[in-house]
Amino acid sequence: MDQTTANAPQPTAAPARQPQPILFTGRGSEYFGIWIVNLLLTIVTLGIYSSWAKVRRLQYFYRHTELAGSTFDFHGRPLRMFYGRLIALGMLLIYSYSVRLHSLVTLLVLALLALVMPWLLRNSLRFRLYNTSWRGTRFHFRGTVAGAYRVFLLNGFLTMITLYIMAPFMHQRLKSYQHDNSWFGRTRCSFHAGAGRFYLVYLLVLAAIIGFFVVLSMAGVFNAFASINAAQHGGGRVDPSAIFRTMLITYGVAILFGVSIGPAFHALINNLVWNNTRIGEHRLECRMSPVKLAWITLTNLLLLVPTIGLFTPWAAVRLAKYQLESVRLLPASDLQEFVDAEPESPGAVGEEAATAFDFDISL
Amino acid sequence: MLQAQYVDGRSTRVRTVSLSVSGTDLVITADDLQRAEPLAGVVFDEQLGNAPRRVRLADGAFCEVRDLDGLRALMASARLRDGWVDRAQRHLPWVLMSVVGCVALVAAGYRWGLPWGARMLAQRLPPAISAMLSRQTLKALDGGMLLPSQLDGARQASLRSQFQALRLPDGEPIRWTLLFRRSPALGANAFTLPDGTIVLLDDLVAQLDNDQQVMAVLAHELGHAQGRHGMQLLLRSSAVGAFLAFYLGDFSQLLAAAPAALAQARYSQSLEWQADEYGSAVMRANGMSPALLADALRLLSKSHHDAAGVSYLTSHPPTAERMRRLEELAQLRPVQPSH
Ligand SMILES: [Zn+2]
């Protein structure tokens, strides 16, 4: 077979030992058509079509993500995701109703939800990974239910009673539960970052926040002196427009910082997590710049407002492209070795419930 | 011949194959491979952007095709067509129409669908729910925005008995409760909770000339109670909140905002007009002139300038249109003394 005549890129024609970058080839203008047509169908069907729309969205992003010449794919069935969404919606209604009740029923319902959530979250991980494939081979999640209760319930409880001092530890346990139990075909993934390194990231971000407020309040004090000085020179009159300008700048800077610190933290954590995750013997490398990610998030936000949300597809593509393309696979041997192992088929309930309650436990 | 990458679904091994159609079969050929699959069992995945397209076989094997035009030609030769959503997604006129459709539907839903849905639902919800919501709203406001009334007991009793003596236009007695509160934040104000409980604030009583005017304001509030406007507003704002939360992907803000929003709720102009109309009917049924409400609003707007904070006028602006209509209602029919 003459492979040089093929105009398509050659997937792993030679043993791929060099670093393999992830490429994202999606384009905002292309995704816009998919997004808006599915949005219209979702509105017309009063939200029912949103499960079909979500499958298309995931498929668009997965299929435009390329590693070693092959793309990823998403296999979730819309109807199963729809059932999951219904259950999630039901739970959300029960939750919001019972929170307003302020009685014994509230506690009972919350306890019940706390008991169900770890199981659902674990199923959600299982569903998402099982329906993800690369080059026809599926991923699997094999975390136990007991492990889910330990991570989500016990560690969550410990985090709360220690006033979030244990939050980085909890985060590490969560990522370890997630990545140590993930499989690609028959190849198991492993996670190697200790809790200490999570504490380092958290402390760094905390220091940045404290530092920002110290600088901001020092600037405020300095500015106050300056304006008192100006007022004395101006015959005791304070210029109101100057005060307004100062307030505007202060709030503006604070909002910019508030919007940027989340993505910056996200970038640092992602670097830590992916640099310490292995797929079998193969390593990953993630070089996300906190500043760049904050910049992308910020400019996306600034463009979404005046376009009444119509910029969404470009924003999503831009963000995905930067995040995905900062990851590389460092193969230890030929990638051909991965062989499929037939998995079980979990339901979609967990995933939908998890997204409705907005627990972000993925990349 | 169309080139594709073939994966057998059992290993990650990729083989370059060529695809063709022969009769009702899809034929896959490579040096060491020859498969003929009935087209009926082959799934052609949607074309999403310029991503490689997959042709899935029944046994889990698939072909990845990068030559999208070539695949379309192959499908055409087998008389296969993409689904209509698939085609609409990359057909510019349909995409543009979808933009217009989305914007129009969201705007129409907000303008007409939301009030209609809220009215329908408010009329059908069991009273237990609106009672519970009102209890909680009051609980959230009491001790914060609302303070105990400083009107003395006799004054309260007098106002309450006048209120309870009012008859509804259909001759029915009042079945809603009147509460007295004071609020520096809300100023001269009166509002109706979702279950029809009316809250009257001290400053409003103080700023009006006589009890007749207070009753006029309460008659207007009875219109809100009768039409379940409080419940409608609550439903509307929850729906908008749920939509925004869904759109912005954050459910956490959904639960907290309702009570405060309700106290400062701006009824829509049409709800105000309904309440004015019903209030006028109540006033006439009790031998009062609807002009009393216009007088009350005028008085409140006079003292408005020196009063701090929010007043009845922010939620009930005495627009020229509204005053004209109230005056018209007053002249509609001579007032019949009923007692
Ligand atoms: Zn009103």
Side-chain angles (χ1 to χ4, degrees):
Chain A
M1 183 167 61
D2 184 12
Q3 291 196 328
T4 52
T5 56
N7 51 8
Q10 295 307 304
T12 64
R17 294 263 189 151
Q18 311 95 312
Q20 301 285 333
I22 289 184
L23 297 175
F24 183 74
T25 55
R27 291 208 312 262
S29 52
E30 235 172 47
Y31 178 51
F32 183 83
I34 296 165
W35 177 76
I36 195 78
V37 167
N38 285 276
L39 185 65
L40 180 66
L41 289 170
T42 300
I43 295 173
V44 169
T45 58
L46 301 175
I48 291 172
Y49 202 76
S50 66
S51 301
W52 279 259
K54 186 178 176 183
V55 169
R56 280 210 185 83
R57 171 165 59 87
L58 289 174
Q59 280 177 344
Y60 182 86
F61 283 93
Y62 280 38
R63 289 182 190 173
H64 284 88
T65 305
E66 207 173 295
L67 174 68
S70 293
T71 55
F72 289 78
D73 203 357
F74 180 72
H75 307 267
R77 299 241 170 263
L79 206 59
R80 296 191 67 184
M81 299 182 71
F82 175 66
Y83 293 142
R85 202 160 265 207
L86 278 187
I87 291 178
L89 195 68
M91 284 174 63
L92 189 73
L93 285 179
I94 293 171
Y95 171 75
S96 50
Y97 180 80
S98 67
V99 164
R100 288 167 164 271
L101 224 54
H102 297 299
S103 71
L104 205 65
V105 183
T106 316
L107 286 178
L108 216 73
V109 168
L110 287 181
L112 214 68
L113 285 179
L115 271 180
V116 177
M117 279 318 278
W119 177 77
L120 280 174
L121 287 168
R122 173 248 187 193
N123 281 14
S124 133
L125 289 170
R126 210 159 62 141
F127 179 80
R128 180 57 82 90
L129 276 192
Y130 172 71
N131 285 305
T132 301
S133 72
W134 178 71
R135 204 179 277 183
T137 299
R138 295 199 182 209
F139 290 79
H140 309 294
F141 180 73
R142 300 224 166 90
T144 59
V145 178
Y149 279 102
R150 235 183 350 259
V151 165
F152 295 116
L153 217 55
L154 182 67
N155 289 345
F157 180 69
L158 286 177
T159 305
M160 264 204 293
I161 59 166
T162 56
L163 302 171
Y164 290 89
I165 289 169
M166 279 183 76
F169 174 75
M170 154 91 179
H171 202 157
Q172 192 270 343
R173 295 312 305 155
L174 174 68
K175 284 294 161 191
S176 162
Y177 173 70
Q178 238 181 308
H179 289 200
D180 270 334
N181 290 307
S182 293
W183 295 66
F184 173 72
R186 286 190 192 142
T187 312
R188 186 172 188 164
C189 301
S190 54
F191 188 63
H192 302 273
R197 305 184 62 182
F198 278 80
Y199 272 95
L200 217 61
V201 171
Y202 273 75
L203 285 177
L204 197 70
V205 172
L206 194 66
I209 293 173
I210 293 171
F212 172 78
F213 280 107
V214 166
V215 169
L216 195 69
S217 46
M218 267 163 55
V221 169
F222 174 76
N223 200 57
F225 276 122
S227 50
I228 288 168
N229 203 18
Q232 281 168 346
H233 284 288
R237 278 172 56 88
V238 179
D239 181 10
S241 73
I243 295 174
F244 182 69
R245 217 177 313 123
T246 313
M247 270 172 60
L248 207 68
I249 291 170
T250 313
Y251 279 122
V253 170
I255 288 170
L256 285 184
F257 181 78
V259 172
S260 316
I261 193 73
F265 171 71
H266 187 72
L268 291 175
I269 283 288
N270 267 325
N271 288 345
L272 173 63
V273 166
W274 292 107
N275 283 330
N276 291 287
T277 297
R278 284 179 210 164
I279 306 168
E281 287 308 300
H282 311 296
R283 306 182 63 136
L284 290 165
E285 181 193 76
C286 181
R287 290 190 176 161
M288 219 178 277
S289 149
V291 175
K292 188 84 193 284
L293 196 66
W295 170 251
I296 290 172
T297 310
L298 198 69
T299 43
N300 274 351
L301 213 63
L302 288 178
L303 285 164
L304 278 170
V305 176
T307 57
I308 49 165
L310 290 175
F311 186 69
T312 304
W314 284 274
V317 162
R318 217 174 139 223
L319 189 65
K321 189 173 175 68
Y322 181 67
Q323 288 188 310
L324 288 165
E325 292 193 345
S326 39
V327 180
R328 292 201 299 175
L329 178 72
L330 312 175
S333 60
D334 194 319
L335 293 174
Q336 295 275 37
E337 280 170 2
F338 293 165
V339 184
D340 202 355
E342 276 309 309
E344 72 274 45
S345 163
V349 172
E351 158 148 298
E352 290 307 310
T355 47
F357 280 85
D358 202 18
F359 285 111
D360 190 1
I361 47 171
S362 59
L363 172 74
Chain B
M1 289 299 229
L2 176 67
Q3 268 215 334
Q5 310 295 328
Y6 176 81
V7 175
D8 64 10
R10 281 181 296 280
S11 75
T12 51
R13 184 164 167 224
V14 180
R15 272 183 285 195
T16 303
V17 297
S18 45
L19 300 179
S20 59
V21 169
S22 155
T24 58
D25 283 351
L26 176 73
V27 182
I28 302 160
T29 8
D31 289 348
D32 53 348
L33 179 81
Q34 178 80 31
R35 281 187 74 165
E37 288 280 315
L39 276 166
V42 175
V43 177
F44 292 83
D45 272 1
E46 277 184 8
Q47 177 178 339
L48 292 173
N50 58 11
R53 235 177 128 169
R54 284 187 186 179
V55 180
R56 297 175 190 279
L57 310 182
D59 66 348
F62 66 86
C63 302
E64 203 170 88
V65 185
R66 281 172 190 265
D67 178 2
L68 300 178
D69 292 331
L71 184 64
R72 213 171 302 130
L74 182 107
M75 286 173 72
S77 74
R79 290 167 198 271
L80 291 169
R81 245 185 133 192
D82 291 324
W84 64 272
V85 178
D86 189 5
R87 275 177 285 137
Q89 285 172 160
R90 50 201 147 85
H91 189 55
L92 189 63
W94 279 107
V95 168
L96 292 178
M97 276 193 316
S98 298
V99 176
V100 176
C102 282
V103 173
L105 279 176
V106 169
Y110 181 75
R111 178 72 182 76
W112 294 291
L114 198 60
W116 180 83
R119 196 171 63 240
M120 288 298 146
L121 200 60
Q123 279 161 5
R124 280 163 183 74
L125 277 181
I129 290 185
S130 54
M132 184 196 84
L133 289 171
S134 302
R135 250 196 332 272
Q136 266 154 36
T137 304
L138 207 60
K139 208 197 259 175
L141 293 174
D142 266 337
M145 210 178 259
L146 295 183
L147 304 169
S149 169
Q150 285 177 341
L151 295 177
D152 61 60
R155 183 92 178 92
Q156 285 190 22
S158 150
L159 285 170
R160 183 168 280 129
S161 72
Q162 288 179 62
F163 172 72
Q164 239 113 46
L166 292 176
R167 284 290 165 270
L168 298 181
D170 54 9
E172 291 288 311
I174 306 273
R175 53 180 188 276
W176 297 289
T177 325
L178 177 66
L179 297 177
F180 293 92
R181 292 287 189 278
R182 180 173 59 88
S183 170
L186 296 173
N189 222 327
F191 57 90
T192 307
L193 297 174
D195 68 345
T197 300
I198 295 170
V199 181
L200 181 61
L201 301 183
D202 288 3
D203 288 2
L204 189 102
V205 179
Q207 284 182 19
L208 294 181
D209 280 347
N210 52 50
D211 289 1
Q212 287 284 83
Q213 287 171 355
V214 177
M215 287 307 123
V217 169
L218 291 180
H220 168 91
E221 291 304 319
L222 280 173
H224 289 314
Q226 167 74 18
R228 296 167 189 256
H229 294 172
M231 197 67 216
Q232 287 188 36
L233 279 187
L234 193 67
L235 288 170
R236 279 191 211 179
S237 64
S238 324
V240 170
F243 173 79
L244 286 180
F246 174 76
Y247 194 74
L248 303 172
D250 182 11
F251 275 100
S252 54
Q253 304 152 342
L254 198 87
L255 313 160
L262 195 75
Q264 291 165 318
R266 282 166 174 271
Y267 292 114
S268 76
Q269 221 166 7
S270 79
L271 291 187
E272 270 331 312
W273 175 233
Q274 283 172 34
D276 275 350
E277 205 161 52
Y278 189 85
S280 303
V282 171
M283 285 184 264
R284 273 204 307 274
N286 293 278
M288 297 153 61
S289 165
L292 280 167
L293 183 56
D295 294 345
L297 288 173
R298 230 173 264 121
L299 266 179
L300 288 170
S301 76
K302 228 180 271 166
S303 59
H304 176 56
H305 301 290
D306 34 85
V310 196
S311 76
Y312 196 67
L313 298 163
T314 36
S315 51
H316 294 86
T319 58
E321 167 74 358
R322 195 171 163 211
M323 301 300 251
R324 191 180 58 74
R325 286 175 131 175
L326 278 172
E327 238 103 84
E328 258 176 38
L329 280 175
Q331 267 135 42
L332 206 61
R333 198 150 33 104
V335 175
Q336 294 152 0
S338 62
H339 40 210

